[in-house]
Amino acid sequence: MKKMSKTARSNLITYGIVILAYVGCEIWMRFGNMSSLMKGLLVPLCVYAILAVSLNLTVGILGELSLGHAGFMCVGAFASAAFTKCMEQAIPVPTVRFIIAVLIGVVCAGICGILVGIPVLRLRGDYLAIVTLAFGEIIKNLVNAIYLGVDSNGFHLSMKSMLALNMEADGMVIINGAQGITGAPSDSNFTLGIIMLLITLFIVLNLINSRAGRAIMAIRDNRIAAESIGINITKYKIMAFSISAAMAGAAGVLYAHNLTTLTALPKNFGYNMSITILVFVVLGGIGSIRGSMISAVILTMLPEMLRSLDEYRMLIYAIVLIAAMILTWSPKAIELRERYSPLKLLRRKEKEVQ
Amino acid sequence: MSMLEVKNLGISFGGLRAVDDFNLTIEKGELYGLIGPNGAGKTTVFNMLTGVYKPTDGKILLDGEDVTGKRTIELNKEGIARTFQNIRLFSDLSVLDNVKVALHNQKEYTYSTLTGILRLPRYYRLEKEMDARAMELLEVFGLDKEADYKASNLPYGKQRELEIARAMATNPKLLLLDEPAAGMNPNETQSLMNTIRFVRDKFDMTILLIEHDMKLVSGICERLTVLNFGQILASGDTAEVLKDPKVITAYLGE
Ligand SMILES: Nc1ncnc2c1ncn2[C@@H]1O[C@H](COP(=O)(O)OP(=O)(O)O)[C@@H](O)[C@H]1O
Ligand SMILES: [Mg+2]
């Protein structure tokens, strides 16, 4: 067998898990009796997995705390949904429209990441947490106050009301303040979600094992030493943070195109959401890409699966959180995991074969 | 031309004059020692040479070029590399990656972030070359067998040597070692002395080191400067400086 590095193999296992999960779900959907609840969860699961993986780039790989990941998701969601609503007639092929929407969401969220990162990441303290927290809340409130329409004279923008847009009779409202964006076609689906998750993993995992990724992790481990070997701290911090933000934007695109009505609520784009994503990352193991993906999936499914238990639901959820915390972080559990990790077992088998 | 020429270097922190009128000339290939009691200002001199602190006065010439006031990363690109009094490794990276990351600015190993993400052929070729170069350096320091270890899992003495290997990977003209033997036992110190001498001979490296271990200093340094309360007390050939009564009372005699 061809010799493969430990990381290359670990990455393959990560991709393998996603593909197996996809095939499993497809078979279940076609030949089994997947509940409509579960069907409705498939795209959101991809969304949360992408969010967790991308936040881990900031928190685990760069070592900076971000409390506004949902804000970047919000930017991606609204920018792309506005595009899709405008272009429904002009670009009739849903997949083509969706790919362009993803690019738009990624670029808009990425630019926001750069704009937040440039002033904040130059500073030496832990200012990012505060600024991203504020950014997330500002974006959510801003989106709720925007009225955007288009008619034969072009685009109209107002921060007051729909009437203030002063549109011709043929006009179409794109963003209707707190009512958000209604009636954009739902172009996303599970397959597209899985492809986006795989691309996210591909970017993050390949970045980590490259020249830039090593520089980013060196900054995380020891900023002063990284500087002493000639690494441009600000450049790599901004790079990691804006890539992370751009991928949150991609998750937002997927999220927005799975809904008929897109509104910005505290629940989906607020502070709570940012913390939920952070919980996925912490429980999955800070810096462990596969871990954050798996914990996002489990922690998203769990409350839904436990619906029938009603009042015990949140209790069980809390117990699982605590158990996961112990399993992820206690030294004994780490030792056990290392001893029985699938990688180790595989290698042991190989040795026996040789 | 001298490799390093420092003229009238000085720095004040508020009212405190940490280093004053500091002069130093080191020739290429020389092994030079900087000694003095704790708090004398030795590390502060290193911090000025590496741009961590901006000197309040004076000039620094590296290989004839004025590099005063440049930033840390520029000074590293110019050819000044260092180790730290308190070990500063990239603790969660492997031993190999600690060295590979220090190849960051060398033209022959540079590829773009996009090349890395897309895994273009250039990525595989340069990573292989970096592995080879890093292993070569690790062998010099006897760390090649531990290449896959996490840096923080190395024993203390080896961590200090890995820091030197990492500094060497930036391909410096001048290597600054801040108390490289601190916390080592006599055996480790002996092996460190051999390594330092070997690095100087093999790479024709110019080395300036801060050290408290007199056996190491007298064993490998050709010339010395003694610093006391931020000022030069004595400098010259090692044997002569160590005999100087001023030095003995201020520092060695105790
Ligand atoms: N950033 C700083 N701010 C204020 N004082 C400093 C700073 N860095 C060093 N000093 C002071 O400069 C003096 C020399 O310190 P240092 O160079 O670390 O001594 P050593 O010779 O033991 O390496 C000490 O009195 C120290 O407190
Ligand atoms: Mg010191």
Side-chain angles (χ1 to χ4, degrees):
Chain A
M1 196 180 142
K2 212 179 111 202
K3 221 172 158 267
M4 213 192 298
S5 79
K6 204 168 131 193
T7 41
R9 199 180 297 191
S10 168
N11 293 353
L12 275 187
I13 290 178
T14 308
Y15 299 131
I17 289 173
V18 176
I19 292 167
L20 274 183
Y22 173 68
V23 172
C25 284
E26 285 290 322
I27 292 174
W28 186 12
M29 228 180 331
R30 300 241 166 103
F31 304 104
N33 51 343
M34 188 185 274
S35 65
S36 58
L37 179 76
M38 186 64 210
K39 277 184 192 152
L41 265 181
L42 291 177
V43 174
L45 285 176
C46 297
V47 171
Y48 295 123
I50 294 172
L51 285 170
V53 169
S54 59
L55 183 61
N56 211 341
L57 179 56
T58 296
V59 175
I61 307 303
L62 177 61
E64 294 275 341
L65 186 56
S66 167
L67 297 177
H69 213 52
F72 296 108
M73 177 195 180
C74 183
V75 170
F78 275 85
S80 64
F83 162 83
T84 304
K85 180 149 170 100
C86 289
M87 291 297 161
E88 189 174 357
Q89 261 81 49
I91 309 172
V93 189
T95 311
V96 175
R97 203 164 53 208
F98 184 70
I99 290 170
I100 301 174
V102 170
L103 293 177
I104 288 173
V106 164
V107 169
C108 290
I111 289 173
C112 287
I114 294 172
L115 291 180
V116 171
I118 284 177
V120 180
L121 292 170
R122 302 165 75 103
L123 306 175
R124 280 191 188 170
D126 296 318
Y127 299 102
L128 191 69
I130 301 162
V131 175
T132 47
L133 177 62
F135 168 80
E137 293 304 297
I138 290 169
I139 287 292
K140 187 195 72 198
N141 292 326
L142 194 67
V143 159
N144 272 312
I146 287 181
Y147 294 84
L148 178 69
V150 64
D151 63 13
S152 44
N153 297 329
F155 286 99
H156 298 256
L157 181 72
S158 160
M159 302 296 280
K160 286 198 204 79
S161 70
M162 198 163 78
L163 294 174
L165 291 175
N166 272 327
M167 286 198 296
E168 307 277 315
D170 66 340
M172 172 177 75
V173 178
I174 301 169
I175 306 178
N176 187 8
Q179 262 100 58
I181 301 177
T182 318
S186 310
D187 286 342
S188 73
N189 56 48
F190 183 45
T191 306
L192 288 169
I194 287 287
I195 291 172
M196 283 172 69
L197 175 57
L198 284 172
I199 293 174
T200 307
L201 287 170
F202 182 83
I203 292 172
V204 175
L205 293 173
N206 285 358
L207 178 69
I208 291 174
N209 297 303
S210 75
R211 174 173 176 267
R214 278 190 298 267
I216 293 165
M217 291 186 289
I219 295 168
R220 170 196 68 190
D221 282 359
N222 203 310
R223 194 187 57 80
I224 291 173
E227 221 167 357
S228 84
I229 55 166
I231 289 171
N232 186 337
I233 308 289
T234 309
K235 173 182 159 185
Y236 283 102
K237 276 187 168 183
I238 292 173
M239 179 193 285
F241 182 69
S242 53
I243 292 176
S244 165
M247 293 188 301
V253 178
L254 190 58
Y255 177 85
H257 289 76
N258 189 43
L259 301 167
T260 42
T261 304
L262 176 69
T263 48
L265 306 168
K267 183 167 64 91
N268 58 0
F269 294 131
Y271 168 70
N272 281 341
M273 186 45 146
S274 296
I275 295 295
T276 304
I277 306 165
L278 190 61
V279 167
F280 296 158
V281 172
V282 172
L283 288 185
I286 291 177
S288 161
I289 300 303
R290 191 196 305 157
S292 50
M293 174 181 84
I294 293 171
S295 84
V297 169
I298 291 177
L299 294 180
T300 309
M301 271 171 66
L302 201 64
E304 303 293 335
M305 299 291 109
L306 294 176
R307 276 238 160 120
S308 54
L309 293 173
D310 220 23
E311 60 215 73
Y312 296 111
R313 189 167 76 131
M314 287 332 278
L315 179 67
I316 295 180
Y317 188 71
I319 291 171
V320 170
L321 285 186
I322 293 166
M325 195 73 182
I326 292 168
L327 282 177
T328 317
W329 292 107
S330 90
K332 268 273 172 290
I334 291 173
E335 198 181 289
L336 271 178
R337 211 173 43 222
E338 285 187 350
R339 193 172 315 155
Y340 296 110
S341 81
L343 274 178
K344 275 262 169 67
L345 292 177
L346 260 178
R347 227 171 298 142
R348 213 173 292 159
K349 272 221 188 89
E350 231 166 63
K351 273 201 192 118
E352 280 160 19
V353 171
Q354 277 165 4
Chain B
M1 196 190 313
S2 311
M3 183 51 80
L4 180 70
E5 220 182 317
V6 177
K7 291 182 193 158
N8 313 106
L9 199 67
I11 190 168
S12 306
F13 296 111
L16 176 80
R17 190 73 180 160
V19 174
D20 189 41
D21 197 22
F22 183 81
N23 291 284
L24 183 67
T25 304
I26 307 180
E27 303 304 325
K28 184 169 165 49
E30 204 174 3
L31 235 166
Y32 201 106
L34 179 61
I35 65 170
N38 274 326
K42 306 179 298 292
T43 300
T44 304
V45 168
F46 271 24
N47 282 337
M48 288 191 281
L49 291 176
T50 54
V52 177
Y53 297 153
K54 292 245 176 316
T56 349
D57 342 65
K59 261 196 185 339
I60 300 167
L61 302 172
L62 180 72
D63 211 3
E65 192 192 335
D66 189 350
V67 296
T68 322
K70 288 201 172 185
R71 292 185 307 145
T72 305
I73 62 171
E74 288 161 0
L75 285 165
N76 180 253
K77 286 180 191 168
E78 294 283 349
I80 301 181
R82 76 177 288 185
T83 66
F84 296 88
Q85 187 173 344
N86 311 307
I87 301 177
R88 290 179 174 276
L89 286 174
F90 305 127
S91 45
D92 278 347
L93 300 191
S94 70
V95 169
L96 183 73
D97 279 350
N98 264 272
V99 177
K100 275 173 85 178
V101 73
L103 298 170
H104 193 81
N105 285 327
Q106 277 163 64
K107 295 271 176 320
E108 67 263 44
Y109 302 117
T110 301
Y111 58 83
S112 72
T113 306
L114 205 60
T115 305
I117 289 176
L118 297 178
R119 294 283 151 109
L120 302 181
R122 187 178 160 77
Y123 164 84
Y124 289 102
R125 199 186 73 226
L126 291 183
E127 283 287 316
K128 220 169 131 189
E129 287 176 21
M130 283 165 119
D131 284 341
R133 172 75 186 128
M135 284 308 287
E136 204 182 334
L137 275 166
L138 287 177
E139 267 166 44
V140 170
F141 293 87
L143 285 163
D144 47 320
K145 293 197 182 55
E146 287 93 345
D148 287 335
Y149 284 34
K150 214 167 93 160
S152 55
N153 289 344
L154 282 182
Y156 188 80
K158 297 216 165 197
Q159 293 198 9
R160 287 227 171 258
E161 301 207 292
L162 176 55
E163 242 198 343
I164 305 176
R166 180 181 70 189
M168 286 300 297
T170 65
N171 200 12
K173 291 175 178 168
L174 172 68
L175 180 62
L176 309 177
L177 306 176
D178 197 344
E179 304 199 16
M184 284 190 174
N185 63 38
N187 285 337
E188 288 175 324
T189 305
Q190 186 55 49
S191 116
L192 178 74
M193 278 168 73
N194 296 337
T195 313
I196 293 175
R197 218 183 271 126
F198 180 79
V199 167
R200 196 270 303 269
D201 296 343
K202 181 174 158 88
F203 302 102
D204 197 17
M205 188 55 48
T206 312
I207 300 176
L208 171 62
L209 63 86
I210 297 173
E211 192 44 71
H212 282 304
D213 189 317
M214 277 309 135
K215 202 163 141 275
L216 186 145
V217 171
S218 56
I220 62 173
C221 294
E222 285 132 11
R223 288 198 295 154
L224 283 185
T225 287
V226 185
L227 207 58
N228 196 20
F229 296 115
Q231 288 182 324
I232 292 180
L233 196 65
S235 62
D237 287 338
T238 301
E240 274 159 40
V241 168
L242 292 180
K243 272 188 292 194
D244 191 325
K246 269 187 304 190
V247 175
I248 293 171
T249 44
Y251 182 43
L252 299 168
E254 241 111 56

